[in-house]
Amino acid sequence: MLQGLLRSCAVIGGVLAAMPAQAQDVRITEDLPRVEVLIGGNPVVIERNQDQTAVLEGEFTKTSRACPPFCIHPMEAAPGVETLGELEVIAFLQDQVAAGTGVLMDSRLPEWFGKGSIPGAVNVPFATLAPNNPYRDDILKALGATAKADATLDFSAVLEVALFCNGPWCDQSPRAIRSLLDAGYPAEKIHYYRGGMQNWLLMGLSVSMPPEQG
Amino acid sequence: MIRLGLVYLAIVSLSVGLITGLPFKLFDAEPVAVVADAPVAKAPVQPAADLEQMTAAILADLGADAAPAQAAVAAPDAALAAMSNAALAGLQGLRKPKAAQDVTLQGLVVQALQEGQSDAYIDALVNEAAGAGAVAVPQALMTSEGKVDTAVLLASIVAKAQDVELAEGDAPTFEATATTDPAVAFLQTQDMLYTVEPGDSLGGLALRFYGDSGFYPAIFAANTSTLGAADRIKVGQRLVIPARDKL
């Protein structure tokens, strides 16, 4: 009996010893300690800050930016556009983005993207989707739109896009979503991560910096 | 009344400033200070014409000479071009591993030039790659026939090479074709109407009239209603060529 107990302890000890040394006390969900995705051939890691005493500092701690223009946005960006939370954004990266059928778009201007964004996101500033941008159609085509004979665009094969900006008080991704809808992008292929960078950081989730430009 | 107008002017200027990103360039040294006013533009992004008309109307209310802000044509396009190109590069990077060499139009041409290929060879190479979808061709280089305007592309490469030489202290040898064109003298202070001919491209027109294909956004901006979402200009279209002193 004792021998059996010792044997099981040895087995369990062996199994525990074989597991990664880093204990992940701060997991994403109970079943998900961290996420590794391959995007464009590059490994992207998303996990949470393991320091349980960590707090946010600086700009993303402000509670009362002037409204207008920094007003609270509704849950729904536009009819038919699904709103996402952090877990849904992570699932979007693991499923659609890794498979090449989706794009996570950071709608902020490049200066903000450069200070840190969600890993795997592409910077498509809201201004580039506005109708007055002569290059807008090039971007829509890169998202899968095709030109028809009458010079309008066909959106039947476009990628799924999830947009975010700085937080529920930021207007840039809602504006980008409206621009996409006005251009003809199907609503069911647009998703809105309302929480934005502020909520992403508040969860202690990984932030990526763009590589230094030579 | 005037105070209200001044408030409107301040709001419009702030919006234009935020849209064009000028404050970021000015406040680059102090990013934290900028954040409070930062990235969200106040007014909805409007077509340039509406913005200019509104500004002119406000200035008229204030009693100033209502000179339309034509200078806004070049600045937003340059910023938008840079952001759009970066966005396109990012989107392209999702599809292939970043380690792989992305085939670009300019890369193809430079390699062919280094191999000493003829202009005709380069023209065929570039059009084949564009036809196969292997390279992205900017709208400005698409002729009315749907081919790549290789002559303009080569000229812009030559011009860039000349710029590098000038920077190194050599005497300038490039003569802009525009200086021998009688239309150019007329164009100095007045807009011109031009009818597109076979083989024309936006870049080619900018090269011909302004001496630099890089000025094509000015022609595009002056003709958005005609050109709209088209990916190339068409024979017979009448395009406004803005006066050179408006660039």
Side-chain angles (χ1 to χ4, degrees):
Chain A
M1 162 93 175
L2 192 60
Q3 273 185 342
L5 194 58
L6 281 171
R7 210 175 295 142
S8 354
C9 282
V11 168
I12 292 169
V15 167
L16 285 172
M19 281 172 62
Q22 181 188 23
Q24 203 91 343
D25 286 331
V26 183
R27 301 174 155 234
I28 297 174
T29 69
E30 195 169 347
D31 305 319
L32 199 63
R34 65 204 288 272
V35 165
E36 257 198 61
V37 198
L38 214 60
I39 294 175
N42 291 323
V44 168
V45 173
I46 296 174
E47 56 188 344
R48 298 181 64 190
N49 184 352
Q50 297 298 305
D51 177 5
Q52 297 187 37
T53 65
V55 291
L56 282 188
E57 285 166 21
E59 285 306 317
F60 282 109
T61 60
K62 292 169 92 169
T63 65
S64 307
R65 297 167 194 267
C67 161
F70 304 108
C71 298
I72 301 177
H73 283 271
M75 203 60 194
E76 187 181 74
V81 174
E82 184 196 20
T83 300
L84 306 177
E86 290 71 38
L87 298 182
E88 290 77 22
V89 169
I90 290 172
F92 185 78
L93 284 168
Q94 286 176 301
D95 302 334
Q96 280 91 327
V97 180
T101 57
V103 182
L104 179 62
M105 309 210 295
D106 187 333
S107 300
R108 302 174 295 166
L109 293 173
E111 291 83 358
W112 280 86
F113 180 75
K115 290 184 206 167
S117 184
I118 296 178
V122 175
N123 188 207
V124 182
F126 68 101
T128 62
L129 295 173
N132 68 335
N133 179 16
Y135 310 94
R136 177 174 82 158
D137 283 357
D138 295 315
I139 294 175
L140 291 173
K141 286 175 188 168
L143 290 171
T146 50
K148 297 195 283 200
D150 58 357
T152 57
L153 290 174
D154 185 313
F155 290 91
S156 53
V158 288
L159 302 173
E160 286 202 51
V161 291
L163 292 85
F164 69 94
C165 58
N166 267 327
W169 43 266
C170 174
D171 193 37
Q172 294 176 327
S173 54
R175 185 172 303 158
I177 290 170
R178 279 194 294 276
S179 297
L180 283 174
L181 290 168
D182 290 342
Y185 218 93
E188 64 270 14
K189 291 211 166 169
I190 305 177
H191 308 274
Y192 170 45
Y193 174 36
R194 177 173 178 268
M197 263 342 269
Q198 180 158 36
N199 280 22
W200 187 265
L201 288 169
L202 198 56
M203 294 298 107
L205 288 163
S206 307
V207 161
S208 71
M209 307 282 185
E212 284 296 318
Q213 299 298 329
Chain B
M1 183 62 191
I2 288 198
R3 213 175 305 153
L4 193 64
L6 281 171
V7 169
Y8 268 120
L9 182 61
I11 290 168
V12 166
S13 309
L14 183 66
S15 314
V16 171
L18 285 171
I19 290 166
T20 59
L22 282 174
F24 296 109
K25 296 184 180 71
L26 292 173
F27 290 112
D28 240 358
E30 298 176 328
V32 175
V34 172
V35 168
D37 308 311
V40 181
K42 186 198 187 314
V45 174
Q46 301 198 12
D50 286 354
L51 198 57
E52 283 164 20
Q53 284 167 10
M54 184 167 46
T55 317
I58 293 163
L59 288 171
D61 270 349
L62 296 174
D65 287 333
Q70 285 286 350
V73 165
D77 285 323
L80 279 174
M83 289 196 293
S84 302
N85 281 325
L88 285 168
L91 289 170
Q92 199 177 27
L94 286 178
R95 280 188 223 122
K96 350 183 185 170
K98 291 207 164 65
Q101 191 74 14
D102 285 330
V103 177
T104 63
L105 193 58
Q106 207 129 0
L108 264 185
V109 173
V110 166
Q111 189 184 359
L113 285 171
Q114 284 169 344
E115 291 168 6
Q117 306 286 4
S118 68
D119 283 2
Y121 176 93
I122 294 174
D123 186 55
L125 175 72
V126 156
N127 275 291
E128 195 196 317
V135 287
V137 181
Q139 174 196 17
L141 286 178
M142 292 301 292
T143 69
S144 47
E145 267 71 56
K147 308 194 82 191
V148 181
D149 197 331
T150 321
V152 171
L153 180 57
L154 288 170
S156 74
I157 293 175
V158 169
K160 282 199 182 77
Q162 297 288 347
D163 286 345
V164 171
E165 279 186 22
L166 286 176
E168 293 168 5
D170 288 352
T173 53
F174 180 70
E175 292 238 313
T177 56
T179 57
T180 57
D181 195 323
V184 169
F186 176 87
L187 200 53
Q188 189 62 38
T189 53
Q190 305 184 60
D191 291 349
M192 203 176 92
L193 268 182
Y194 175 80
T195 308
V196 174
E197 290 173 8
D200 280 345
S201 67
L202 276 180
L205 293 178
L207 179 64
R208 180 179 162 202
F209 292 119
Y210 303 131
D212 186 345
S213 59
F215 281 115
Y216 73 88
I219 303 180
F220 186 95
N223 295 280
T224 47
S225 51
T226 316
L227 296 173
D231 62 357
R232 59 174 190 256
I233 56 179
K234 295 186 173 54
V235 173
Q237 278 177 329
R238 288 175 68 72
L239 302 178
V240 173
I241 311 291
R244 284 169 74 107
D245 67 357
K246 284 185 190 170
L247 291 180

